[in-house]
Structure formats: structure tokens, C-alpha cells
Amino acid sequence: MKKLLGMGALLALSPVAMAGDELSGANTAWILTATALVLFMTLPGLSLFYAGLVRTKNVLSVLMQCFAIACMASLIWLIVGYSLSFGEGNAWIGDFSRVFMAGMGKGDLSGDIPESLFFMFQMTFAIITPALIVGAFAERMKFSSMLIFSAFWLIVVYFPVCHWVWGGGWLGSMGLLDFAGGTVVHITAGVAALVAALMIGNRRGFPTTAMPPHNLTMTVTGAGMLWVGWFGFNAGSALAANGDAAMAMTVTHISAAAGSLAWMTMEWVKFGKPSVLGIVTGMVAGLGTITPASGFVGPAGALVIGLSAGVICFYMTQAIKRKWQIDDSLDVFPVHGVGGILGTLLAGVFASPDLGIFSGFGFADGINSIAEQFKVQVIGVVATFVYTAVATYILLKVTGIMTSGIRVSEEQETEGLDLVLHEESGYKF
């Protein structure tokens, strides 16, 4: 059989292992660890990263949103999410055969790991994706609107796209290369963030009033947790403790380091000084961009992808904030959306064994020619982008009707969401 196309082949074509498969203790131990690492990315990694970037009066609101999404997404995944994502279904959506983990026992396997573990590992991806979107509307969205929108968004956007790519759907069948979530996680979250930022409008005072991060120490702490947790995100997607996982971890680290230094350098050249915020943002750009390619490229390819991420995502951030004046508060689209698009496209290029040093060990041997594979990657990017944008727009409209508007009032925004929505404050001076 040809090399796995990441989690698209994922054993998800048949959630329960075929007769004769045996449990692998080594693989099970690694995926247990990877699952904890991916959850660690959201709680506390992403939570602290985002919380440090907002103003003092909104720090708890961001932490609350990430925590609440983690809880809510877990239950939705249990009830219907896993089934719609990985149930047999059709080319577009899964069926209801695994609702409430129906028919899943302790001894049931997905490949050579417990199916319950595969369920948990995939759950952590469903948790972090809507949590990423929080950065786009930070400091101005109602908590009730956020909860309703996130729940609907998982069902309408995340689960179908997950099925398309990893659950035996049409994009996976076409041969789309997305090892750990360039389309499923980063493009969906990034595009939804852009639509949300446009629909909810800019924060009061943007762009004329300075809104610096209130605690960069907190942000750097969260960034470090994201970097470490991302090893579970990408290397865990091999679903085995083997060379694929080891190489995925290696290229993930290289891309993160390259993205960090590239972003820092661009900032240094443009503004005269490198910033802490810049280097950690470049790290996230490098991590997000390598994600879809992490199981298919070698170290040289990862270096090019990371450097490209640091430069291109930097310029997109400048364009969106300064030129187009769109208040994507914490740069979700230019970092995750653009990074996901860039990484998905470059996966189709650097995965080819014909590129020698750039493809390293030719992880995706048996794929189409570079031109043909690139075409498949473009189709995956465009389909995910368009579907996510349209669905997110409709869901935000519906949410606004249900909650009498998705944005807090001007007075509430001025006072801060911590006190207004939660009757608490992050700091007692």
C-alpha cells in the first residue's frame, strides 16, 4: 500500500480494526502522550498565549472562552461529532453509527490502538480549532453568542471538513495531503476568524488607539507550551511510535525555529528592533504552516516552509491590520489561515521524492506528479475556504438573531468583559 496520506488514511476508513489486528503497547503509549500534549496546547497553552495579548480588563474573558469551548466541544464530540467525522457515511458527512460512542468497547481497536484512544486524540483537535477563532473577536463578543456560534460551527463546519479529509470523504479520496490539519484546523479556523472579524467590526478605537498586550510574559509562557504541545499535534498524527512520528517531530521543530527567526528578522529590518511578540508569533506561523506537510517533507523542506511562513505571514499581518484595517484582534487569519493555505500548497510540492534533499526521505512516494498533486492541494484549499466562509457567515447571522446581536454594547466594551460578563477581574491591585 502506498504511503499514508496523513490522518486521511488514519485507520479512519474503518474505525474498528479488522480481524487479526493486535494492540500495540508502544503505539498506544505514544498516542496517549500525544493526546495529552494536544489538549495541553489549548489548556493552558493557547489560553495563556491569547490572554496575555489582550488588555487587562479582558484577560479572564479569553481564558473563560477557551476553557468553556474545551468543555463544550468535548461533549459535542461525544454526542455526535466523532460519528459525523469518522462514521462511514458518504463522501460529505459521516453517519450516526458512533453516536455516544455506540458499539465501542474497551477492546475495540482502530488499527493497533484502542478506538477510544483514537476518539480522544481526535477530540483534542476538535477542541483547539474553535478555540483558535476566539482570537479574532476577542474583547467584544458576548459570551452567550460565542458559545452558540462555536457549537453550531463545530457541527456545520468542522465535522464535515474533517470527514472530507480524514474520514474517508471526497478530499481524502482525491489524495489531498494534509497530515495533521492544514485544511481541517488552520484554514477553517483562520477563514472563520476573518469572517467573524469583518462581521463583528473593529474594537472601539481601532486602529488609532494603541492596544498593546497587557502581559507578554504570559504570552511567551503560552507560546512555549504551544511549541511543546505541537509535537503531539503533528508527530502524534502518525498514530504510531515510529520513524514517521520522529521525522514529523523533527520537521515541526525546524519550521517553528525558522518561522520565529524569519518573523523576527522582518520586524528588525522594518521597524529597527526585534520584538518578543514578533518572535513568538513567527513561531506559531511556522508551526501552523508545517502542520499539513509534517508527515511528508524532510528537514530541508521544513526549513523552506518555516522561512516562508515567517515572511509571508508577517506581511499578511501588516496588510490586514495596517492597510485594510481589519481588526482580527490576535492575528488568527494571517497566521493560521494564511499559514494553513501556504503549508497545504507547499505540501504538494516538497512532498515529492523528485525534489531530492527537499523531500528528505520521500515520505509521500506514490503521489501524483508535482503539478497534479498541487492541483489537488489547490482544490482542497479553495473548497475549504469557500465552504467555511459561507457557513460561518450564515452561522454568525443566526447567532446574532438568537442572542439579539453578537457584540456587547459600547459601554460594556469600555468597562471590559471580565466585569461585565463574569463579574470578576484578573488582577487585584
Side-chain angles (χ1 to χ4, degrees):
M1 183 179 178
K2 299 191 177 186
K3 290 282 187 180
L4 291 180
L5 300 182
M7 286 197 291
L10 263 192
L11 318 171
L13 296 175
S14 177
V16 179
M18 300 295 290
D21 285 354
E22 295 182 0
L23 177 74
S24 168
N27 292 344
T28 298
W30 163 234
I31 304 306
L32 284 167
T33 303
T35 299
L37 285 171
V38 181
L39 183 60
F40 185 71
M41 289 174 64
T42 305
L43 303 172
L46 184 70
S47 304
L48 293 175
F49 184 81
Y50 276 178
L53 293 175
V54 298
R55 289 168 289 182
T56 305
K57 61 185 179 181
N58 296 309
V59 57
L60 288 182
S61 71
V62 172
L63 293 170
M64 180 70 167
Q65 287 172 5
C66 291
F67 207 98
I69 285 174
C71 298
M72 181 181 65
S74 299
L75 298 186
I76 296 174
W77 185 254
L78 165 67
I79 296 168
V80 73
Y82 178 69
S83 194
L84 291 178
S85 299
F86 292 99
E88 185 174 346
N90 52 46
W92 304 99
I93 192 70
D95 58 21
F96 294 101
S97 60
R98 282 293 189 267
V99 168
F100 283 103
M101 297 175 71
M104 191 187 306
K106 282 197 305 182
D108 291 329
L109 300 182
S110 180
D112 59 4
I113 65 173
E115 188 182 0
S116 58
L117 176 55
F118 179 71
F119 168 96
M120 272 297 301
F121 182 66
Q122 287 297 324
M123 177 192 287
T124 59
F125 283 70
I127 287 171
I128 197 170
T129 308
L132 289 172
I133 306 172
V134 165
F137 48 68
E139 304 192 291
R140 59 200 188 277
M141 192 175 194
K142 293 178 181 176
F143 184 66
S144 58
S145 298
M146 183 280 302
L147 285 175
I148 293 171
F149 166 73
S150 297
F152 285 163
W153 190 86
L154 278 168
I155 295 169
V156 175
V157 178
Y158 183 82
F159 301 155
V161 175
C162 181
H163 183 77
W164 295 355
V165 179
W166 294 335
W170 68 281
L171 285 177
S173 299
M174 286 181 63
L176 179 72
L177 297 177
D178 185 358
F179 192 74
T183 52
V184 180
V185 176
H186 294 289
I187 295 179
T188 59
V191 172
L194 179 63
V195 173
L198 288 169
M199 291 184 66
I200 200 170
N202 298 342
R203 286 170 292 179
R204 292 191 66 209
F206 180 90
T208 55
T209 301
M211 300 178 185
H214 90 281
N215 191 333
L216 276 177
T217 303
M218 182 184 292
T219 294
V220 174
T221 302
M225 293 173 178
L226 281 171
W227 193 332
V228 173
W230 224 291
F231 293 145
F233 200 83
N234 288 355
S237 294
L239 293 180
N242 58 17
D244 289 337
M247 185 57 71
M249 181 179 287
T250 299
V251 299
T252 296
H253 186 78
I254 290 170
S255 183
S260 295
L261 294 180
W263 192 297
M264 181 194 75
T265 302
M266 298 305 297
E267 213 172 39
W268 205 340
V269 171
K270 186 173 180 63
F271 302 118
K273 294 181 181 178
S275 74
V276 172
L277 177 58
I279 198 170
V280 297
T281 306
M283 176 213 74
V284 176
L287 289 169
T289 306
I290 194 61
T291 291
S294 57
F296 309 121
V297 304
L303 177 61
V304 175
I305 288 173
L307 292 173
S308 300
V311 173
I312 293 173
C313 293
F314 170 79
Y315 276 115
M316 282 302 300
T317 300
Q318 297 300 308
I320 287 176
K321 284 281 182 71
R322 297 173 182 269
K323 183 177 180 180
W324 301 327
Q325 297 187 351
I326 300 172
D327 190 12
D328 179 349
S329 309
L330 308 184
D331 301 323
V332 184
F333 177 73
V335 173
H336 294 279
V338 173
I341 292 170
L342 179 63
T344 301
L345 296 177
L346 291 181
V349 176
F350 291 114
S352 173
D354 297 333
L355 290 179
I357 184 174
F358 289 104
S359 60
F361 298 87
F363 300 115
D365 58 290
I367 66 171
N368 299 318
S369 68
I370 292 178
E372 292 175 344
Q373 187 62 49
F374 190 78
K375 179 181 177 181
V376 173
Q377 301 302 104
V378 170
I379 292 172
V381 167
V382 172
T384 303
F385 192 109
V386 173
Y387 178 75
T388 301
V390 173
T392 300
Y393 176 84
I394 295 171
L395 291 175
L396 285 169
K397 285 289 188 182
V398 172
T399 301
I401 294 172
M402 294 178 65
T403 58
S404 301
I406 59 178
R407 182 168 182 158
V408 298
S409 68
E410 290 188 3
E411 293 76 14
Q412 291 174 322
E413 187 176 344
T414 299
E415 187 173 355
L417 304 191
D418 289 358
L419 285 173
V420 167
L421 300 181
H422 308 295
E423 201 62 40
E424 297 172 299
S425 59
Y427 304 97
K428 301 290 186 182
F429 295 114

